[in-house]
Amino acid sequence: MKLIGSNTSPYVRKVRVVMAEKKLDYAFELDNVWSAETQVHQSNPLGKVPCLVMEDGNALYDSRVIAEYLDTLTPVCKLLPANGNGRDRADVKVWEALADGVLDAAVLVRLEKTLRPPEQQSPQWIERQMGKVHAGLAVMSDKLGEQPFCMGKAYTLADVAVGCALGWLSFRFPGIAWRDDYPNLAKLFDKLSERPSFRDTAPFEA
Ligand code: GSF
């Protein structure tokens, strides 16, 4: 399998953490989706990473589809509850949607601020998206409570998604004081950061 991605994308990181937890081998192909040389659209018409190209040449996207597929490949470190356990499985997927949704909103803010000249930026748009970031963080903290992991005792894809979202917020939005506001999220994040899967995939700009 070949994973097309970058060292900065939190969605790519989610897939890489899953690969590492499940001890799956893959080739990692770096692609800068914002450069003129990007090749990713040859595999993903949406021009986005992550994109997983499989042995038969077919491609999978987006990160949620890839993560779900990877979890079926080996019983090592099951990250999603079995299909028969539909409610728990849906709960994990809601956590993932929440973490990804916080990222989607924060990414929109970053793009607004980095791709548009200041006079074309919309403060109302930025405020709307930041509202989602803050509301999402508050609900994450509330849902986590004092549990060791998002779903309780078991480490799941929910923790992978939350860890990648929090890590990216610290990387790109150091001004968002989520660690001070939500000590329980900080505790979870610190615990996740000790795992080799997270340590080896921390975001960085080349
Ligand atoms: C989001 C992927 C995405 O926006 C997923 O895979 O979960 N829902 C998708 N990737 C960004 C890079 S980043 O912000 O992490 C991307 O490839 N953007 C290129 C573009 O043209 O929007």
PDB file of all heavy atoms in Angstrom, residues 178-179 185-195:
ATOM      1  N   TRP A 178      -6.534  25.356  24.787  1.00  0.00           N
ATOM      2  CA  TRP A 178      -7.345  24.176  25.136  1.00  0.00           C
ATOM      3  C   TRP A 178      -6.749  23.404  26.316  1.00  0.00           C
ATOM      4  O   TRP A 178      -7.473  22.818  27.102  1.00  0.00           O
ATOM      5  CB  TRP A 178      -7.562  23.264  23.924  1.00  0.00           C
ATOM      6  CG  TRP A 178      -6.318  22.655  23.344  1.00  0.00           C
ATOM      7  CD1 TRP A 178      -5.555  23.153  22.328  1.00  0.00           C
ATOM      8  CD2 TRP A 178      -5.672  21.439  23.757  1.00  0.00           C
ATOM      9  NE1 TRP A 178      -4.488  22.326  22.085  1.00  0.00           N
ATOM     10  CE2 TRP A 178      -4.537  21.267  22.942  1.00  0.00           C
ATOM     11  CE3 TRP A 178      -5.948  20.478  24.738  1.00  0.00           C
ATOM     12  CZ2 TRP A 178      -3.674  20.175  23.094  1.00  0.00           C
ATOM     13  CZ3 TRP A 178      -5.100  19.394  24.884  1.00  0.00           C
ATOM     14  CH2 TRP A 178      -3.973  19.257  24.055  1.00  0.00           C
ATOM     15  N   ARG A 179      -5.436  23.442  26.479  1.00  0.00           N
ATOM     16  CA  ARG A 179      -4.813  22.707  27.587  1.00  0.00           C
ATOM     17  C   ARG A 179      -5.215  23.297  28.937  1.00  0.00           C
ATOM     18  O   ARG A 179      -5.464  22.570  29.899  1.00  0.00           O
ATOM     19  CB  ARG A 179      -3.285  22.727  27.467  1.00  0.00           C
ATOM     20  CG  ARG A 179      -2.724  21.953  26.295  1.00  0.00           C
ATOM     21  CD  ARG A 179      -1.217  21.866  26.410  1.00  0.00           C
ATOM     22  NE  ARG A 179      -0.856  21.031  27.529  1.00  0.00           N
ATOM     23  CZ  ARG A 179      -0.636  19.715  27.422  1.00  0.00           C
ATOM     24  NH1 ARG A 179      -0.688  19.121  26.261  1.00  0.00           N
ATOM     25  NH2 ARG A 179      -0.355  19.011  28.482  1.00  0.00           N
ATOM     26  N   LEU A 185      -8.647  16.933  28.687  1.00  0.00           N
ATOM     27  CA  LEU A 185      -8.163  16.704  27.315  1.00  0.00           C
ATOM     28  C   LEU A 185      -6.630  16.723  27.301  1.00  0.00           C
ATOM     29  O   LEU A 185      -5.995  15.930  26.594  1.00  0.00           O
ATOM     30  CB  LEU A 185      -8.707  17.770  26.352  1.00  0.00           C
ATOM     31  CG  LEU A 185     -10.212  17.730  26.049  1.00  0.00           C
ATOM     32  CD1 LEU A 185     -10.576  18.833  25.051  1.00  0.00           C
ATOM     33  CD2 LEU A 185     -10.655  16.363  25.505  1.00  0.00           C
ATOM     34  N   ALA A 186      -6.039  17.607  28.097  1.00  0.00           N
ATOM     35  CA  ALA A 186      -4.568  17.690  28.160  1.00  0.00           C
ATOM     36  C   ALA A 186      -3.994  16.382  28.701  1.00  0.00           C
ATOM     37  O   ALA A 186      -2.985  15.880  28.197  1.00  0.00           O
ATOM     38  CB  ALA A 186      -4.149  18.869  29.029  1.00  0.00           C
ATOM     39  N   LYS A 187      -4.675  15.821  29.721  1.00  0.00           N
ATOM     40  CA  LYS A 187      -4.200  14.567  30.304  1.00  0.00           C
ATOM     41  C   LYS A 187      -4.260  13.428  29.273  1.00  0.00           C
ATOM     42  O   LYS A 187      -3.309  12.651  29.121  1.00  0.00           O
ATOM     43  CB  LYS A 187      -5.082  14.234  31.523  1.00  0.00           C
ATOM     44  CG  LYS A 187      -4.556  13.139  32.398  1.00  0.00           C
ATOM     45  CD  LYS A 187      -5.389  13.081  33.686  1.00  0.00           C
ATOM     46  CE  LYS A 187      -5.309  11.710  34.300  1.00  0.00           C
ATOM     47  NZ  LYS A 187      -6.335  11.488  35.304  1.00  0.00           N
ATOM     48  N   LEU A 188      -5.371  13.364  28.546  1.00  0.00           N
ATOM     49  CA  LEU A 188      -5.500  12.334  27.506  1.00  0.00           C
ATOM     50  C   LEU A 188      -4.429  12.536  26.433  1.00  0.00           C
ATOM     51  O   LEU A 188      -3.759  11.591  26.015  1.00  0.00           O
ATOM     52  CB  LEU A 188      -6.905  12.392  26.874  1.00  0.00           C
ATOM     53  CG  LEU A 188      -7.118  11.485  25.658  1.00  0.00           C
ATOM     54  CD1 LEU A 188      -7.054  10.006  26.060  1.00  0.00           C
ATOM     55  CD2 LEU A 188      -8.464  11.777  24.975  1.00  0.00           C
ATOM     56  N   PHE A 189      -4.261  13.783  26.012  1.00  0.00           N
ATOM     57  CA  PHE A 189      -3.299  14.081  24.950  1.00  0.00           C
ATOM     58  C   PHE A 189      -1.879  13.687  25.365  1.00  0.00           C
ATOM     59  O   PHE A 189      -1.140  13.088  24.575  1.00  0.00           O
ATOM     60  CB  PHE A 189      -3.354  15.574  24.599  1.00  0.00           C
ATOM     61  CG  PHE A 189      -2.421  15.945  23.484  1.00  0.00           C
ATOM     62  CD1 PHE A 189      -2.706  15.583  22.175  1.00  0.00           C
ATOM     63  CD2 PHE A 189      -1.244  16.621  23.742  1.00  0.00           C
ATOM     64  CE1 PHE A 189      -1.836  15.895  21.139  1.00  0.00           C
ATOM     65  CE2 PHE A 189      -0.373  16.943  22.710  1.00  0.00           C
ATOM     66  CZ  PHE A 189      -0.672  16.578  21.410  1.00  0.00           C
ATOM     67  N   ASP A 190      -1.520  14.002  26.600  1.00  0.00           N
ATOM     68  CA  ASP A 190      -0.166  13.670  27.068  1.00  0.00           C
ATOM     69  C   ASP A 190       0.044  12.160  27.095  1.00  0.00           C
ATOM     70  O   ASP A 190       1.120  11.667  26.752  1.00  0.00           O
ATOM     71  CB  ASP A 190       0.086  14.279  28.453  1.00  0.00           C
ATOM     72  CG  ASP A 190       0.175  15.796  28.386  1.00  0.00           C
ATOM     73  OD1 ASP A 190       0.361  16.323  27.267  1.00  0.00           O
ATOM     74  OD2 ASP A 190       0.045  16.454  29.434  1.00  0.00           O
ATOM     75  N   LYS A 191      -1.004  11.453  27.488  1.00  0.00           N
ATOM     76  CA  LYS A 191      -0.908   9.988  27.529  1.00  0.00           C
ATOM     77  C   LYS A 191      -0.759   9.434  26.105  1.00  0.00           C
ATOM     78  O   LYS A 191       0.080   8.575  25.845  1.00  0.00           O
ATOM     79  CB  LYS A 191      -2.170   9.430  28.200  1.00  0.00           C
ATOM     80  CG  LYS A 191      -2.126   7.961  28.488  1.00  0.00           C
ATOM     81  CD  LYS A 191      -3.237   7.534  29.447  1.00  0.00           C
ATOM     82  CE  LYS A 191      -4.618   7.850  28.900  1.00  0.00           C
ATOM     83  NZ  LYS A 191      -5.696   7.489  29.810  1.00  0.00           N
ATOM     84  N   LEU A 192      -1.548   9.970  25.166  1.00  0.00           N
ATOM     85  CA  LEU A 192      -1.462   9.497  23.778  1.00  0.00           C
ATOM     86  C   LEU A 192      -0.099   9.813  23.176  1.00  0.00           C
ATOM     87  O   LEU A 192       0.460   9.028  22.407  1.00  0.00           O
ATOM     88  CB  LEU A 192      -2.565  10.144  22.923  1.00  0.00           C
ATOM     89  CG  LEU A 192      -4.006   9.780  23.287  1.00  0.00           C
ATOM     90  CD1 LEU A 192      -4.994  10.614  22.462  1.00  0.00           C
ATOM     91  CD2 LEU A 192      -4.271   8.289  23.067  1.00  0.00           C
ATOM     92  N   SER A 193       0.438  10.982  23.534  1.00  0.00           N
ATOM     93  CA  SER A 193       1.704  11.435  22.943  1.00  0.00           C
ATOM     94  C   SER A 193       2.871  10.522  23.297  1.00  0.00           C
ATOM     95  O   SER A 193       3.908  10.565  22.642  1.00  0.00           O
ATOM     96  CB  SER A 193       2.026  12.862  23.392  1.00  0.00           C
ATOM     97  OG  SER A 193       0.990  13.720  22.981  1.00  0.00           O
ATOM     98  N   GLU A 194       2.707   9.720  24.345  1.00  0.00           N
ATOM     99  CA  GLU A 194       3.780   8.785  24.723  1.00  0.00           C
ATOM    100  C   GLU A 194       3.787   7.535  23.855  1.00  0.00           C
ATOM    101  O   GLU A 194       4.764   6.790  23.831  1.00  0.00           O
ATOM    102  CB  GLU A 194       3.613   8.357  26.192  1.00  0.00           C
ATOM    103  CG  GLU A 194       3.962   9.461  27.156  1.00  0.00           C
ATOM    104  CD  GLU A 194       3.567   9.107  28.584  1.00  0.00           C
ATOM    105  OE1 GLU A 194       3.180   7.942  28.841  1.00  0.00           O
ATOM    106  OE2 GLU A 194       3.618  10.007  29.431  1.00  0.00           O
ATOM    107  N   ARG A 195       2.698   7.283  23.147  1.00  0.00           N
ATOM    108  CA  ARG A 195       2.642   6.082  22.297  1.00  0.00           C
ATOM    109  C   ARG A 195       3.566   6.285  21.098  1.00  0.00           C
ATOM    110  O   ARG A 195       3.556   7.368  20.479  1.00  0.00           O
ATOM    111  CB  ARG A 195       1.204   5.838  21.803  1.00  0.00           C
ATOM    112  CG  ARG A 195       0.193   5.649  22.910  1.00  0.00           C
ATOM    113  CD  ARG A 195      -1.198   5.434  22.345  1.00  0.00           C
ATOM    114  NE  ARG A 195      -1.400   4.094  21.837  1.00  0.00           N
ATOM    115  CZ  ARG A 195      -1.824   3.060  22.554  1.00  0.00           C
ATOM    116  NH1 ARG A 195      -2.129   3.233  23.828  1.00  0.00           N
ATOM    117  NH2 ARG A 195      -1.969   1.877  22.010  1.00  0.00           N
TER     118      ARG A 195
END
